[in-house]
Amino acid sequence: MLPPPQVPFRGSVAVEAGLLTRGRLRGRDWRRLLPDVYIHHDTPVDHRIWCAAVALILPPGAAIGGLSAAYLWGAGLSRTRAQVSIVTPRDQRIRPHQRIAPHYTILGPDDLTLLDSLPVTTAERTAFDLGRRLRRADALASVDALLRTGHVDLGRVAALARERSRWPRTAQLSEVLRLADPRSESPMETRMRLLFHDAGLPPPRPQLEVRDRDGRLVGRVDLGWETSRVAAEYEGDHHRGVDQCRQDVARVSALQLAGWTVLRFTADDILRRPRRSTALVATALARSR
């Protein structure tokens, strides 16, 4: 077993609107987040603040990991009220708490780093963990999001997978790395792409720019089959606003005038009606021939 890396992190953490500190404090200016961890009452608490609070009570060699580390790397995969994911050596223990989700594992000296003064798993170790530990679709969405931050070297993650091939679920990780694409701009776009992959459809190009004969941009589509002129669009909640809806109508009309078939899918289509959704795309691709 590799020795756990020692990433020092003690004392107080300066934050934008106040101070997060460890120790028993009293008074109206402070509120308790965790045992012996207090924050100034004027400080807004987001997931980064929760990560900083947990970091103050980590055992030696432990760090922020999993989805929380992905959040700190800029992937934006955790919510404010979500548990803080940590990784800790198997010979260390942390006091159970409802805000903390521990994962006991082997940590090598190159698995941890400091990010904005917080001890975290490296971007590559974060991708390695999420690509194995999450369900397949969530794993791919997480790795896509991490790749989008620009911090992850996919080759290094693949090297980790080879070096630790006997670790649980590295076969899934290897598949995730083959399918990963930083051009996916949301977890649902990733899920939609994976759905079409599993149905045996030809691979589309994410975030494809469609141009007219003069090279002018007509629009950009979430997934596009350029030769067939078929596009698949994911319609999230942000598309329901009046201004966004008007923009979408104009863009789709322009794409249709350019000879494109545009299929629009919601979360229900992807998660609850997958066969119908893949059949629509398959039919559109067949007609284009």
Side-chain angles (χ1 to χ4, degrees):
M1 179 185 300
L2 293 169
Q6 300 299 314
V7 178
F9 184 73
R10 296 292 183 268
S12 300
V13 181
V15 292
E16 292 179 0
L19 188 71
L20 179 70
T21 189
R22 185 173 185 181
R24 296 184 180 276
L25 300 176
R26 294 181 181 180
R28 297 178 180 178
D29 290 341
W30 301 92
R31 58 179 167 134
R32 183 176 181 267
L33 291 184
L34 296 167
D36 294 336
V37 177
Y38 294 79
I39 194 166
H40 194 273
H41 70 82
D42 290 334
T43 304
V45 179
D46 58 11
H47 195 67
R48 180 187 177 277
I49 297 300
W50 278 111
C51 289
V54 170
L56 285 170
I57 62 172
L58 287 176
I64 308 299
L67 289 173
S68 294
Y71 175 89
L72 294 175
W73 282 110
L77 298 173
S78 289
R79 301 180 300 275
T80 295
R81 298 296 300 176
Q83 288 182 303
V84 175
S85 301
I86 70 167
V87 291
T88 184
R90 292 174 177 174
D91 59 351
Q92 298 287 344
R93 286 294 180 268
I94 188 167
R95 181 190 301 178
H97 193 279
Q98 62 182 1
R99 297 292 313 194
I100 303 173
H103 177 65
Y104 295 95
T105 185
I106 299 172
L107 293 168
D110 295 328
D111 287 331
L112 303 188
T113 189
L114 285 174
L115 179 64
D116 295 332
S117 82
L118 297 179
V120 300
T121 49
T122 63
E124 287 78 19
R125 175 62 196 256
T126 303
F128 173 82
D129 285 341
L130 294 178
R132 292 184 307 115
R133 291 167 48 194
L134 297 181
R135 293 183 179 181
R136 180 169 171 264
D138 293 330
L140 180 58
S142 298
V143 173
D144 278 356
L146 280 165
L147 286 175
R148 198 160 57 244
T149 69
H151 294 300
V152 175
D153 184 326
L154 203 59
R156 292 182 182 177
V157 185
L160 273 179
R162 290 192 297 270
E163 293 166 6
R164 303 172 183 182
S165 60
R166 295 187 178 182
W167 288 35
R169 304 183 71 184
T170 51
Q172 172 180 286
L173 173 63
S174 296
E175 182 194 20
V176 165
L177 297 181
R178 288 195 301 271
L179 297 176
D181 194 316
R183 293 173 294 183
S184 287
E185 293 189 343
S186 74
M188 286 305 298
E189 286 184 24
T190 296
R191 287 179 177 272
M192 182 168 65
R193 191 178 87 247
L194 182 61
L195 172 65
F196 299 150
H197 166 81
D198 289 346
L201 297 176
R205 182 175 177 181
Q207 303 306 320
L208 175 66
E209 290 187 347
V210 177
R211 298 184 178 273
D212 63 18
R213 294 179 179 177
D214 297 322
R216 292 172 297 192
L217 181 66
V218 176
R220 189 178 65 164
V221 298
D222 294 338
L223 297 175
W225 291 264
E226 191 166 15
T227 303
S228 303
R229 292 194 175 188
V230 173
E233 293 271 85
Y234 171 65
E235 305 292 337
D237 290 340
H238 68 283
H239 287 273
R240 297 176 184 175
V242 175
D243 291 341
Q244 184 64 51
C245 183
R246 289 171 179 168
Q247 293 176 22
D248 290 343
V249 169
R251 185 173 59 87
V252 170
S253 296
L255 288 167
Q256 290 173 337
L257 286 174
W260 280 69
T261 299
V262 182
L263 303 174
R264 305 171 77 179
F265 299 99
T266 65
D268 278 351
D269 294 322
I270 297 169
L271 300 176
R272 296 180 176 84
R273 293 184 288 273
R275 291 184 179 179
R276 175 180 175 274
S277 299
T278 54
L280 286 172
V281 174
T283 299
L285 293 174
R287 286 178 177 176
S288 71
R289 302 192 190 103

